[in-house]
Amino acid sequence: MMSSLETYYSEKWNKVIDEIQNSGKIDKVILDSFYRTSSLVSLTDSKAIIVGNSEVSKQIIMKEILMISEFFESIDGNSITCEVLTQAEYKKLNISAPVQQIVSDYTSQNTQNYLLNYNNILSEYRFDNFVVGASNRECHAAALGCAYDPGNIYTPLFIYGNSGLGKTHLLNAIGNFVLTSDPHKKVYYTSGLDFVEKVVNSIQNKSIDQLKKELYDIDVLLMDDIQFLAGKEKSHEIFFSLFNELVNNRKQIVITSDRHPTEIKGLEERLISRFSSGLSVGLDSPEFETAVAILRLKIANQVSEDVIIDDDVISYLASNFSKDVRSLEGCIKRLLFYAIQFSNRDHIDMSLAIETFKGQVETPAEGQEVTANTIKRIVADYYGLTKQQLISKSRTSNIANARQIAMYLCRLIIDLPFVKIGEEFGKRDHSTVMSACRKVEANMKKDTFYRQAVNELEKQIRSK
Ligand code: ADP
Ligand code: MG
């Protein structure tokens, strides 16, 4: 028995490509660069959908669409029409992941009568195309743990972090991983907004019992952007019982939000305390090395091989657009667009990059100012922590210690008012900040190593 429909598709697609190669009708280099990097995502008796890994691949495959159809036909005996899409177009079609079909085949359920489309996972968000670095290592490891052994390692897993840092990517990666290992599993991806809408609709259609029944049947619940559940009472109630039901049955729950659970206003206390029973991990903005690795991956996926992008351009993008990964993706698109539309160039150098982003990048002024963020970053790096951990509620001693030092340095170096420091560090009260500063001063007096560490940090920050 095949392990999953995805494997089946990939084998089928490889077979078609091999046959084409044997026929000698298309050059091997073309097949390797554009066909083998694309994938077959759906195949019925009459239709095949192929997703190209770039716009260029799509165009190249499209040219031979009739021939490809004939090869499918010669393998399966059915008359097949092929369609080629880019990743983005495929995503827009909102076709559920291929595994959808296999699950319904296995269980012979009539999915049309279902309110939830299980296994609605986006296949392009996987672990193998998620770049891991200091800013997301913890989240990645936790997510992978859940995917590997759903329901048994930590449930719920709560992932928090600003927009564009990879929350949705990780959720879908978990879904894809689980379904690849076991296509019988019922994985369900939803978001706060979508969940509220489902609840409202099923109340109107009097199908709320059916909805609950289907929800309770989920093996892996992936709830994105739960902050949108805030203030929605009925949805809270349903989510709360769903949550308990799944946890009691050792099912996996993964939740994401743009902030730490304790900071989501309008979410019931009892829910927040349930979240704390699992593991909460934060995502940070990618640091330089991770940003470079992400850029390289995205470029390799999107840009044809004859376009050359200089290394200093990549460093330039990584230093200026690494607030979040979405911005990194955006700047590559803009750069390519600019290079092709305006100058028809296939060699992208610094002058072209500067030209493309002029006005968008702040050129660092002489003696650039140190901000609370600089201090957080340097202290976090020094102690091997993330900035998120520094501002989290965690009382773990090494985190709390680093946090106190960072607060103290904000006072010492940039003379930030206590209230402002409190805001910078996870909305803490000014009295907490004052007592942190006093503690650091006291520790510095009595502990030489401690004093050296703080002095070293001060030096690093001042030399920025
Ligand atoms: P969020 O849900 O946190 O707003 P997304 O998961 O939608 O962010 O990520 C935004 C974009 O950045 C997506 O295209 C995603 O694939 C990409 N991305 C985020 N983190 C990474 C990473 N570590 N490696 C590769 N791509 C990433
Ligand atoms: Mg998202």
Side-chain angles (χ1 to χ4, degrees), residues 55-79:
E55 181 62 38
V56 184
S57 295
K58 174 186 160 178
Q59 299 301 337
I60 289 183
I61 297 174
M62 289 258 276
K63 280 195 191 154
E64 303 296 347
I65 202 77
L66 288 177
M67 186 182 81
I68 299 170
S69 306
E70 280 166 20
F71 275 98
F72 269 111
E73 198 170 330
S74 71
I75 292 173
D76 278 353
N78 297 327
S79 163

Side-chain angles (χ1 to χ4, degrees), residues 139 142-144 146 154-159 174 252-256 278-281:
C139 282
L144 195 56
C146 291
Y154 9 68
T155 192
L157 170 65
F158 196 106
I159 299 176
I174 297 174
Q252 181 67 50
I253 302 176
V254 187
I255 301 168
T256 75
L279 174 72
S280 305
V281 279

Side-chain angles (χ1 to χ4, degrees), residues 178-240:
V178 169
L179 287 169
T180 309
S181 336
D182 182 358
H184 293 88
K185 281 254 180 350
K186 288 201 172 94
V187 177
Y188 185 59
Y189 169 91
T190 181
S191 68
L193 281 178
D194 173 67
F195 190 81
V196 170
E197 194 185 311
K198 285 247 156 42
V199 170
V200 171
N201 286 344
S202 58
I203 293 173
Q204 274 168 4
N205 305 334
K206 304 197 171 22
S207 53
I208 195 84
D209 291 335
Q210 171 73 13
L211 180 71
K212 283 189 193 162
K213 193 168 140 250
E214 289 178 27
L215 286 169
Y216 289 2
D217 218 21
I218 292 171
D219 295 304
V220 178
L221 173 66
L222 306 167
M223 166 61 91
D224 211 356
D225 292 318
I226 199 168
Q227 70 272 14
F228 291 117
L229 219 63
K232 306 285 191 302
E233 270 172 39
K234 188 68 190 167
S235 301
H236 266 177
E237 186 188 313
I238 293 179
F239 186 72
F240 188 69

Side-chain angles (χ1 to χ4, degrees), residues 124-133 136-137 139-141 165-167 169-170 173 283 294 297-298 325:
E124 72 265 31
Y125 290 153
R126 301 177 309 271
F127 283 114
D128 64 32
N129 60 5
F130 187 85
V131 174
V132 186
N136 59 27
R137 182 162 286 119
C139 282
H140 172 263
L165 293 181
K167 299 183 295 295
H169 189 133
L170 280 175
L283 281 168
I294 291 175
L297 174 81
K298 306 278 165 183
V325 182

